[in-house]
Amino acid sequence: MEAFARQGYKLCLNASLEPTLEKIAIFGKETSDGTVIPTHAALQLESGEWTSKLGALEDVRHKKLESVNGPAYGKPVCLMARPRNIK
């Protein structure tokens, strides 16, 4: 979260598309002691779809944020947004 905050992102409450905001979702897995380990980040595109870089594979697009939930990446644990650069 700190790394993204340095890039101008702030916490936000939902993953719905807001045309003036660029949103990211930070995924994480919870350990047995309740600590959350960040594993992945997804970026919301202007279309409302999300894009993810899955390891060494190519970037993938997914309509739902939860499409990459699972044992490898966990689930979204934090949403952040910053103003989108409007052209």
Short mmCIF file of all heavy atoms in Angstrom, two decimals, residues 13-49:
data_model
loop_
_atom_site.label_atom_id
_atom_site.label_comp_id
_atom_site.label_asym_id
_atom_site.label_seq_id
_atom_site.Cartn_x
_atom_site.Cartn_y
_atom_site.Cartn_z
N LEU A 13 -13.33 2.59 -1.49
CA LEU A 13 -14.25 1.65 -0.86
C LEU A 13 -14.84 0.59 -1.78
O LEU A 13 -15.38 -0.40 -1.30
CB LEU A 13 -15.39 2.42 -0.19
CG LEU A 13 -14.94 3.37 0.93
CD1 LEU A 13 -16.12 4.15 1.46
CD2 LEU A 13 -14.25 2.60 2.04
N ASN A 14 -14.80 0.81 -3.09
CA ASN A 14 -15.43 -0.17 -3.97
C ASN A 14 -14.69 -0.31 -5.28
O ASN A 14 -13.89 0.55 -5.65
CB ASN A 14 -16.91 0.19 -4.20
CG ASN A 14 -17.05 1.47 -4.99
OD1 ASN A 14 -16.71 1.51 -6.16
ND2 ASN A 14 -17.57 2.50 -4.36
N ALA A 15 -15.00 -1.38 -5.99
CA ALA A 15 -14.33 -1.69 -7.25
C ALA A 15 -15.15 -1.29 -8.46
O ALA A 15 -14.79 -1.63 -9.59
CB ALA A 15 -14.02 -3.19 -7.29
N SER A 16 -16.23 -0.57 -8.24
CA SER A 16 -17.06 -0.17 -9.39
C SER A 16 -16.31 0.84 -10.25
O SER A 16 -15.45 1.58 -9.78
CB SER A 16 -18.39 0.41 -8.91
OG SER A 16 -18.17 1.58 -8.16
N LEU A 17 -16.65 0.85 -11.53
CA LEU A 17 -16.00 1.76 -12.48
C LEU A 17 -16.41 3.20 -12.19
O LEU A 17 -17.59 3.51 -12.07
CB LEU A 17 -16.39 1.38 -13.91
CG LEU A 17 -15.81 2.29 -15.00
CD1 LEU A 17 -14.29 2.21 -15.02
CD2 LEU A 17 -16.39 1.90 -16.35
N GLU A 18 -15.42 4.05 -12.05
CA GLU A 18 -15.62 5.49 -11.95
C GLU A 18 -14.69 6.09 -13.00
O GLU A 18 -13.46 6.04 -12.84
CB GLU A 18 -15.28 5.99 -10.55
CG GLU A 18 -16.19 5.43 -9.48
CD GLU A 18 -15.86 5.93 -8.08
OE1 GLU A 18 -15.87 7.18 -7.88
OE2 GLU A 18 -15.55 5.10 -7.22
N PRO A 19 -15.23 6.63 -14.09
CA PRO A 19 -14.41 7.04 -15.23
C PRO A 19 -13.25 7.99 -14.91
O PRO A 19 -12.25 7.98 -15.62
CB PRO A 19 -15.41 7.71 -16.17
CG PRO A 19 -16.72 7.08 -15.83
CD PRO A 19 -16.65 6.83 -14.35
N THR A 20 -13.37 8.76 -13.86
CA THR A 20 -12.30 9.71 -13.54
C THR A 20 -11.22 9.12 -12.64
O THR A 20 -10.24 9.79 -12.33
CB THR A 20 -12.86 10.98 -12.89
OG1 THR A 20 -13.51 10.62 -11.66
CG2 THR A 20 -13.84 11.69 -13.82
N LEU A 21 -11.41 7.86 -12.20
CA LEU A 21 -10.45 7.23 -11.29
C LEU A 21 -9.79 6.00 -11.90
O LEU A 21 -10.45 5.19 -12.55
CB LEU A 21 -11.13 6.83 -9.99
CG LEU A 21 -11.67 7.96 -9.11
CD1 LEU A 21 -12.36 7.38 -7.88
CD2 LEU A 21 -10.57 8.92 -8.71
N GLU A 22 -8.51 5.86 -11.67
CA GLU A 22 -7.76 4.65 -12.01
C GLU A 22 -7.67 3.84 -10.72
O GLU A 22 -7.14 4.32 -9.72
CB GLU A 22 -6.37 5.04 -12.49
CG GLU A 22 -5.48 3.88 -12.83
CD GLU A 22 -4.13 4.35 -13.31
OE1 GLU A 22 -3.24 4.56 -12.45
OE2 GLU A 22 -3.97 4.54 -14.52
N LYS A 23 -8.21 2.62 -10.76
CA LYS A 23 -8.27 1.81 -9.54
C LYS A 23 -7.36 0.60 -9.64
O LYS A 23 -7.15 0.05 -10.72
CB LYS A 23 -9.70 1.35 -9.26
CG LYS A 23 -10.63 2.48 -8.91
CD LYS A 23 -11.99 1.99 -8.49
CE LYS A 23 -12.88 3.16 -8.10
NZ LYS A 23 -14.19 2.70 -7.63
N ILE A 24 -6.84 0.21 -8.50
CA ILE A 24 -6.07 -1.03 -8.38
C ILE A 24 -6.64 -1.84 -7.23
O ILE A 24 -7.25 -1.30 -6.32
CB ILE A 24 -4.56 -0.77 -8.13
CG1 ILE A 24 -4.37 0.01 -6.84
CG2 ILE A 24 -3.91 -0.11 -9.32
CD1 ILE A 24 -2.98 -0.11 -6.27
N ALA A 25 -6.44 -3.12 -7.32
CA ALA A 25 -6.81 -4.03 -6.24
C ALA A 25 -5.56 -4.78 -5.84
O ALA A 25 -4.86 -5.32 -6.69
CB ALA A 25 -7.89 -5.00 -6.69
N ILE A 26 -5.27 -4.79 -4.57
CA ILE A 26 -4.14 -5.56 -4.04
C ILE A 26 -4.69 -6.86 -3.48
O ILE A 26 -5.62 -6.85 -2.67
CB ILE A 26 -3.38 -4.77 -2.96
CG1 ILE A 26 -2.84 -3.46 -3.53
CG2 ILE A 26 -2.26 -5.62 -2.36
CD1 ILE A 26 -2.24 -2.53 -2.51
N PHE A 27 -4.15 -7.95 -3.97
CA PHE A 27 -4.56 -9.28 -3.52
C PHE A 27 -3.62 -9.75 -2.43
O PHE A 27 -2.45 -9.35 -2.37
CB PHE A 27 -4.48 -10.29 -4.68
CG PHE A 27 -5.59 -10.16 -5.67
CD1 PHE A 27 -5.70 -9.05 -6.49
CD2 PHE A 27 -6.53 -11.17 -5.81
CE1 PHE A 27 -6.72 -8.94 -7.42
CE2 PHE A 27 -7.55 -11.07 -6.73
CZ PHE A 27 -7.64 -9.96 -7.55
N GLY A 28 -4.13 -10.61 -1.56
CA GLY A 28 -3.29 -11.16 -0.51
C GLY A 28 -3.82 -12.48 0.00
O GLY A 28 -4.97 -12.85 -0.25
N LYS A 29 -2.95 -13.18 0.69
CA LYS A 29 -3.31 -14.44 1.34
C LYS A 29 -3.10 -14.28 2.83
O LYS A 29 -2.11 -13.70 3.28
CB LYS A 29 -2.46 -15.58 0.81
CG LYS A 29 -2.68 -15.88 -0.65
CD LYS A 29 -2.12 -17.20 -1.10
CE LYS A 29 -0.63 -17.25 -1.09
NZ LYS A 29 -0.08 -18.47 -1.71
N GLU A 30 -4.05 -14.82 3.60
CA GLU A 30 -3.98 -14.74 5.06
C GLU A 30 -3.25 -15.96 5.61
O GLU A 30 -3.55 -17.09 5.24
CB GLU A 30 -5.39 -14.65 5.64
CG GLU A 30 -5.40 -14.31 7.11
CD GLU A 30 -6.79 -14.02 7.63
OE1 GLU A 30 -7.67 -13.65 6.84
OE2 GLU A 30 -6.99 -14.18 8.85
N THR A 31 -2.30 -15.71 6.48
CA THR A 31 -1.58 -16.80 7.13
C THR A 31 -2.37 -17.30 8.33
O THR A 31 -3.37 -16.69 8.73
CB THR A 31 -0.18 -16.34 7.59
OG1 THR A 31 -0.34 -15.33 8.60
CG2 THR A 31 0.63 -15.78 6.43
N SER A 32 -1.91 -18.37 8.94
CA SER A 32 -2.62 -18.96 10.07
C SER A 32 -2.70 -18.02 11.27
O SER A 32 -3.60 -18.13 12.09
CB SER A 32 -1.96 -20.27 10.49
OG SER A 32 -0.61 -20.06 10.83
N ASP A 33 -1.77 -17.06 11.37
CA ASP A 33 -1.82 -16.12 12.49
C ASP A 33 -2.57 -14.83 12.15
O ASP A 33 -2.58 -13.89 12.93
CB ASP A 33 -0.40 -15.80 12.99
CG ASP A 33 0.42 -14.99 12.00
OD1 ASP A 33 -0.08 -14.69 10.89
OD2 ASP A 33 1.57 -14.65 12.33
N GLY A 34 -3.22 -14.80 10.97
CA GLY A 34 -4.03 -13.64 10.60
C GLY A 34 -3.30 -12.57 9.83
O GLY A 34 -3.91 -11.59 9.40
N THR A 35 -2.00 -12.73 9.63
CA THR A 35 -1.24 -11.76 8.84
C THR A 35 -1.60 -11.91 7.37
O THR A 35 -1.75 -13.02 6.87
CB THR A 35 0.28 -12.01 9.00
OG1 THR A 35 0.60 -11.95 10.39
CG2 THR A 35 1.10 -11.00 8.23
N VAL A 36 -1.75 -10.80 6.67
CA VAL A 36 -2.05 -10.85 5.24
C VAL A 36 -0.77 -10.57 4.47
O VAL A 36 -0.10 -9.56 4.69
CB VAL A 36 -3.14 -9.83 4.85
CG1 VAL A 36 -3.35 -9.81 3.35
CG2 VAL A 36 -4.44 -10.15 5.57
N ILE A 37 -0.43 -11.49 3.58
CA ILE A 37 0.76 -11.36 2.74
C ILE A 37 0.32 -10.91 1.35
O ILE A 37 -0.44 -11.62 0.68
CB ILE A 37 1.51 -12.72 2.62
CG1 ILE A 37 1.81 -13.30 3.99
CG2 ILE A 37 2.76 -12.58 1.77
CD1 ILE A 37 2.75 -12.49 4.83
N PRO A 38 0.76 -9.72 0.88
CA PRO A 38 0.37 -9.29 -0.47
C PRO A 38 1.00 -10.19 -1.53
O PRO A 38 2.16 -10.61 -1.40
CB PRO A 38 0.91 -7.86 -0.56
CG PRO A 38 1.89 -7.71 0.54
CD PRO A 38 1.60 -8.76 1.56
N THR A 39 0.23 -10.50 -2.56
CA THR A 39 0.67 -11.44 -3.59
C THR A 39 0.57 -10.91 -5.01
O THR A 39 1.25 -11.40 -5.91
CB THR A 39 -0.18 -12.73 -3.52
OG1 THR A 39 -1.54 -12.36 -3.71
CG2 THR A 39 0.02 -13.46 -2.21
N HIS A 40 -0.30 -9.93 -5.25
CA HIS A 40 -0.64 -9.58 -6.62
C HIS A 40 -1.36 -8.24 -6.62
O HIS A 40 -1.93 -7.83 -5.61
CB HIS A 40 -1.57 -10.68 -7.17
CG HIS A 40 -2.09 -10.44 -8.54
ND1 HIS A 40 -1.29 -10.46 -9.65
CD2 HIS A 40 -3.34 -10.18 -9.00
CE1 HIS A 40 -2.03 -10.22 -10.73
NE2 HIS A 40 -3.27 -10.05 -10.36
N ALA A 41 -1.35 -7.56 -7.75
CA ALA A 41 -2.15 -6.35 -7.93
C ALA A 41 -2.80 -6.40 -9.31
O ALA A 41 -2.19 -6.89 -10.27
CB ALA A 41 -1.31 -5.10 -7.78
N ALA A 42 -4.01 -5.91 -9.40
CA ALA A 42 -4.73 -5.83 -10.67
C ALA A 42 -5.11 -4.37 -10.91
O ALA A 42 -5.37 -3.63 -9.96
CB ALA A 42 -5.98 -6.70 -10.64
N LEU A 43 -5.13 -3.99 -12.17
CA LEU A 43 -5.45 -2.62 -12.56
C LEU A 43 -6.77 -2.60 -13.31
O LEU A 43 -7.00 -3.43 -14.20
CB LEU A 43 -4.34 -2.08 -13.49
CG LEU A 43 -4.58 -0.74 -14.16
CD1 LEU A 43 -4.55 0.39 -13.13
CD2 LEU A 43 -3.53 -0.50 -15.25
N GLN A 44 -7.65 -1.65 -12.95
CA GLN A 44 -8.92 -1.52 -13.67
C GLN A 44 -8.69 -0.66 -14.91
O GLN A 44 -8.13 0.44 -14.85
CB GLN A 44 -9.98 -0.88 -12.78
CG GLN A 44 -11.35 -0.89 -13.39
CD GLN A 44 -12.39 -0.30 -12.48
OE1 GLN A 44 -12.18 0.75 -11.88
NE2 GLN A 44 -13.52 -0.98 -12.36
N LEU A 45 -9.14 -1.17 -16.05
CA LEU A 45 -9.02 -0.47 -17.31
C LEU A 45 -10.20 0.49 -17.49
O LEU A 45 -11.21 0.39 -16.79
CB LEU A 45 -8.99 -1.47 -18.46
CG LEU A 45 -7.85 -2.49 -18.38
CD1 LEU A 45 -8.04 -3.58 -19.44
CD2 LEU A 45 -6.51 -1.80 -18.55
N GLU A 46 -10.10 1.40 -18.45
CA GLU A 46 -11.17 2.37 -18.71
C GLU A 46 -12.48 1.70 -19.08
O GLU A 46 -13.55 2.26 -18.89
CB GLU A 46 -10.75 3.35 -19.79
CG GLU A 46 -9.64 4.29 -19.34
CD GLU A 46 -9.24 5.28 -20.41
OE1 GLU A 46 -10.12 5.82 -21.10
OE2 GLU A 46 -8.03 5.53 -20.54
N SER A 47 -12.42 0.47 -19.59
CA SER A 47 -13.62 -0.29 -19.96
C SER A 47 -14.34 -0.86 -18.75
O SER A 47 -15.47 -1.33 -18.86
CB SER A 47 -13.23 -1.44 -20.89
OG SER A 47 -12.44 -2.38 -20.18
N GLY A 48 -13.68 -0.87 -17.60
CA GLY A 48 -14.22 -1.49 -16.41
C GLY A 48 -13.67 -2.88 -16.18
O GLY A 48 -13.81 -3.45 -15.10
N GLU A 49 -13.04 -3.46 -17.21
CA GLU A 49 -12.37 -4.75 -17.04
C GLU A 49 -11.10 -4.53 -16.22
O GLU A 49 -10.65 -3.41 -16.03
CB GLU A 49 -11.99 -5.35 -18.40
CG GLU A 49 -13.16 -5.79 -19.23
CD GLU A 49 -12.72 -6.38 -20.55
OE1 GLU A 49 -11.91 -5.75 -21.26
OE2 GLU A 49 -13.18 -7.48 -20.86
#
